[in-house]
Amino acid sequence: MADVTDSRPRWHGVLERISQARRGDASESLAAVFMLGATVLALVWANSPWGWTYDAFWHTPLAISVGGAGIDLDLQHWVNDGLMALFFFVIGLEVKREFAMGELRDRSKAAVPLTAAVAGLALPAALFLLLNPSGPAAAAWGVVISTDTAFLLGALAVIGPGRAERLRIFLLTLAVADDVGALAIIALVYTDELRFVPLLVAIGGLLVIWQLRRLRVWRGGGYLVVSLVTWLALYESGVHATLAGVLIALLLPVYPPKRKEVERAAALARAFRQSPNPEYARNARLGLERAVSVNERLMRLWQPYTAFIIVPVFALANAGVPLTAETLRAAIVSPLFWGIVLGLVVGKFVGITGATAILHRLRPGSLAPGLTMPQIAGGAALSGIGFTISLFIVDLALEDEVLADTARVGVLAGSVIALALGAAVFRAGRSLLPEEPSRDLLRPVDVRRDHVRGPADAPLTIVEYGDFECPFCGKATGNIRQVREHFGDEMRYVFRHFPLDEYHPNARGAAEVAEAAAGQGRFWDVHDTFFAHADALERDDLIAYCADLGLDIDRLEDDLREGDPENHVEDDEIDARSSDLPGTPTFYLGVGDTIPQRHVGPYDAKTLIGELERMRADAPDADVVDPR
């Protein structure tokens, strides 16, 4: 076949990546590159022969007035007070979603990163105040508390370990909690004076948004007008206006799609397909929007803009520090500079790593499977990259421009050192624990979590990672049946999910429905039924099978919407990917209390029986499995 050279310009690839992010496939590394590019551009601009134009441009006044009332700010403060309200709005949406449907919904899973986040807030502030106990510089202690999520995840994608999905989730949960703490500190500490009449108007605006939510208003336009009034009132009240974005986001509804709304949207889409006209097109679009919560629609809309436009513009407006010999000399001897570097680099690293290690020792097994302390240490070091909110707090905390420039140099230096430290820790971790695929089962069998067929304390164990739409998994169920018949009560069989979305589009939905059925004690009934109908696993088919089995469909739908089945399937999938499983089915075999080992080779009944017999013969005195 002839080689056809792509004649599109090179920047077309970047635009395509942004377009993918706009559709939801956000690239954290690309967003970090945009922010880094804006930072470098700001530094080059401020230190060029035309550096005087940097301050002149960003301090250009811009007024918006109606009659005799209006707002008069310079461009930098329009960015910091206006555009950054959208940035904090997106943070608020993410926080709300994580508490409602994500990792923070399960408090037991979130306990370690939440504890680490608190330590990562407290210790940096304490170290900063150790060097700056009083004076104007002491007000900048909030500069060292925050982690820049975009830079953190972007750096993790570039220099982090392979198979780092668990570490990414840990750090993302930690960063969300970190953001909550930083926002609370901005609200409580960096508010100079309160004007109560505008504040009451802002509170009234928030109450209106809450009432719109109660009335199930799902159109974004209804919230937009009230949100603008609320932002303006909060600005006039003396509370930093960006907090309006967070408060509004926390009030917006978030929920999984309701089946009734999804079916209605599908019917409207079918009507448009059969008779395409403007009215049906409008109804179909509104039906699709109504099926998805306001939170998720707005997050999908604004997240790419904040990542690729607003945050880089913020960096461009705030990172332009003149790096003259005098500025650097003043910074090197300044307790403010060293307090920021110490807080970001040492405080974050020691606080997060130490808190995690202590909690892990007190509660063995509290870390997610596959997550190691060297990985935590590397992520803790990267958490010292405190860029966006750190620079934001510099502008709030320090009125003296010389101190502010010193603080900005400290933020830039601390972030660079934290990046280098993270790379060094990850490299050291790889030398101590080489990233080689292990044959050991990553997550031990837990009868409180796993689906187990057979006695919980049976001495022989088979764990299968499977996919309901996989034809080979369907055939393997017959093999497992024969193995169970051979060993009887001496064997237990555990099924875990590994949906291969690329090949089997209905497998994930089937896995989630099976997990919802487990809430009614019917997992194995559904498991057998789904494999018996592996060629017909559309959502309606799945619900019909469950109805035929006598399950409570309303409860099933509620459980699916709550998100626990989705989280269970995702946990299994991350375990499988972290273990570098080649596909489905994959089996692990174990005897007694030993860790089950991955089986390589044929998985017919005769082979599996022979392998278990051999393993039992090699370990005749194996203890009975602890049915935890």
Side-chain angles (χ1 to χ4, degrees):
M1 180 180 295
D3 180 21
V4 180
T5 303
D6 191 347
S7 60
R8 294 176 300 178
R10 292 182 179 276
W11 47 262
H12 189 279
V14 176
L15 295 180
E16 177 60 24
R17 294 283 294 279
I18 297 175
S19 177
Q20 290 173 358
R22 178 69 179 78
R23 296 192 299 267
D25 305 322
S27 170
E28 287 133 2
S29 56
L30 182 62
V33 167
F34 269 61
M35 196 191 312
L36 179 61
T39 303
V40 172
L41 179 59
L43 290 171
V44 170
W45 184 2
N47 291 278
S48 71
W50 306 276
W52 62 271
T53 64
Y54 180 85
D55 282 336
F57 175 79
W58 290 111
H59 290 121
T60 301
L62 175 63
I64 297 178
S65 60
V66 178
I71 301 178
D72 188 359
L73 300 172
D74 61 29
L75 291 180
Q76 184 185 50
H77 283 91
W78 274 113
V79 171
N80 292 358
D81 294 0
L83 286 182
M84 287 299 284
L86 287 173
F87 168 76
F88 285 107
F89 176 71
V90 171
I91 287 179
L93 292 175
E94 292 175 331
V95 168
K96 178 65 176 289
R97 190 183 189 285
E98 287 299 315
F99 273 104
M101 298 166 55
E103 290 293 318
L104 295 178
R105 185 173 182 272
D106 187 341
R107 303 298 184 265
S108 61
K109 290 171 61 176
V112 178
L114 288 177
T115 303
V118 172
L121 289 167
L123 185 59
L127 292 177
F128 177 88
L129 290 172
L130 191 65
L131 295 184
N132 300 272
S134 60
W141 64 270
V143 171
V144 299
I145 61 175
S146 181
T147 295
D148 192 294
T149 306
F151 262 138
L152 170 66
L153 297 180
L156 181 66
V158 175
I159 66 173
R163 302 185 297 277
E165 289 186 75
R166 288 290 181 197
L167 178 60
R168 183 186 179 281
I169 292 173
F170 177 93
L171 292 177
L172 185 58
T173 306
L174 182 146
V176 169
D178 186 284
D179 287 338
V180 172
L183 295 172
I185 288 169
I186 290 172
L188 297 174
V189 176
Y190 295 108
T191 297
D192 294 330
E193 59 176 317
L194 282 178
R195 290 182 287 274
F196 286 99
V197 173
L199 183 61
L200 290 174
V201 174
I203 293 173
L206 294 174
L207 290 174
V208 170
I209 291 173
W210 177 70
Q211 185 63 25
L212 290 174
R213 172 186 169 177
R214 287 191 62 202
L215 295 174
R216 300 184 181 277
V217 174
W218 53 273
R219 298 291 301 276
Y223 295 97
L224 176 62
V225 175
V226 183
S227 298
L228 290 174
V229 173
T230 303
W231 177 86
L232 180 60
L234 206 61
Y235 171 81
E236 293 292 340
S237 73
V239 178
H240 204 276
T242 52
L243 294 176
V246 180
L247 297 174
I248 292 167
L250 294 177
L251 289 174
L252 294 180
V254 55
Y255 49 80
K258 298 179 181 179
R259 180 173 175 79
K260 180 176 66 175
E261 298 293 346
V262 172
E263 291 175 345
R264 181 175 181 273
L268 292 170
R270 283 195 300 271
F272 171 72
R273 182 178 181 182
Q274 293 168 2
S275 178
N277 61 69
E279 183 64 24
Y280 280 4
R282 177 180 180 276
N283 291 339
R285 178 177 59 81
L286 295 179
L288 290 170
E289 289 182 357
R290 186 166 189 164
V292 182
S293 71
V294 174
N295 175 289
E296 293 184 287
R297 281 191 283 117
L298 292 178
M299 189 158 63
R300 176 64 59 87
L301 172 65
W302 287 111
Q303 201 167 41
Y305 293 117
T306 57
F308 295 112
I309 297 177
I310 291 175
V311 172
V313 168
F314 170 83
L316 186 62
N318 289 271
V321 183
L323 299 178
T324 63
E326 182 180 349
T327 302
L328 295 177
R329 190 163 43 247
I332 291 298
V333 299
S334 170
L336 174 60
F337 172 86
W338 289 110
I340 291 174
V341 171
L342 186 67
L344 290 177
V345 178
V346 178
K348 287 289 185 182
F349 177 64
V350 175
I352 293 171
T353 306
T356 303
I358 291 171
L359 196 59
H360 180 49
R361 181 174 291 274
L362 293 176
R363 294 175 51 192
S366 56
L367 286 182
L371 191 57
T372 65
M373 283 308 303
Q375 289 180 348
I376 295 290
L382 292 184
S383 297
I385 304 175
F387 189 78
T388 306
I389 295 182
S390 293
L391 291 178
F392 184 81
I393 294 179
V394 167
D395 185 61
L396 299 178
L398 300 171
E399 295 182 2
D400 186 296
E401 195 56 36
V402 174
L403 287 178
D405 281 346
T406 299
R408 293 185 185 105
V409 173
V411 170
L412 295 174
S415 298
V416 171
I417 296 171
L419 178 63
L421 177 62
V425 171
F426 281 132
R427 180 174 296 180
R430 282 192 287 268
S431 65
L432 294 173
L433 295 173
E435 295 177 13
E436 298 178 356
S438 172
R439 291 188 59 189
D440 291 349
L441 181 67
L442 187 62
R443 183 192 295 269
V445 174
D446 184 344
V447 297
R448 294 168 301 184
R449 175 194 183 277
D450 283 310
H451 308 294
V452 181
R453 237 175 186 166
D457 58 352
L460 303 177
T461 299
I462 293 182
V463 178
E464 177 186 355
Y465 280 90
D467 172 318
F468 283 118
E469 210 171 3
C470 169
F472 303 104
C473 297
K475 294 178 181 179
T477 58
N479 301 339
I480 295 298
R481 190 178 303 113
Q482 294 179 46
V483 177
R484 292 182 58 237
E485 290 173 354
H486 177 85
F487 287 110
D489 287 344
E490 291 184 294
M491 195 200 91
R492 62 178 183 174
Y493 167 62
V494 178
F495 183 86
R496 291 177 177 174
H497 305 283
F498 187 19
L500 304 178
D501 298 323
E502 184 177 354
Y503 307 102
H504 306 137
N506 299 312
R508 184 176 300 276
E512 292 172 1
V513 171
E515 285 303 320
Q520 301 181 41
R522 304 294 298 277
F523 175 84
W524 290 110
D525 295 332
V526 169
H527 167 279
D528 295 344
T529 301
F530 287 179
F531 271 124
H533 300 85
D535 57 344
L537 294 178
E538 297 283 350
R539 182 60 175 263
D540 289 342
D541 297 323
L542 301 174
I543 299 300
Y545 301 146
C546 292
D548 291 342
L549 290 169
L551 274 74
D552 183 336
I553 300 302
D554 290 337
R555 177 182 170 187
L556 187 82
E557 293 282 2
D558 288 341
D559 289 344
L560 285 169
R561 294 181 66 250
E562 287 294 328
D564 288 337
E566 178 183 355
N567 292 336
H568 188 115
V569 173
E570 185 178 356
D571 275 345
D572 281 355
E573 180 186 15
I574 292 175
D575 290 345
R577 295 193 185 282
S578 299
S579 301
D580 273 349
L581 298 195
T584 56
T586 296
F587 294 94
Y588 286 83
L589 308 182
V591 175
D593 60 357
T594 60
I595 300 175
Q597 301 287 300
R598 187 189 304 180
H599 172 71
V600 179
Y603 47 84
D604 57 277
K606 181 178 180 181
T607 299
L608 294 176
I609 290 171
E611 184 65 16
L612 284 171
E613 293 283 18
R614 182 195 65 76
M615 294 174 69
R616 181 162 61 176
D618 290 344
D621 299 325
D623 297 331
V624 174
V625 177
D626 178 15
R628 289 176 294 170

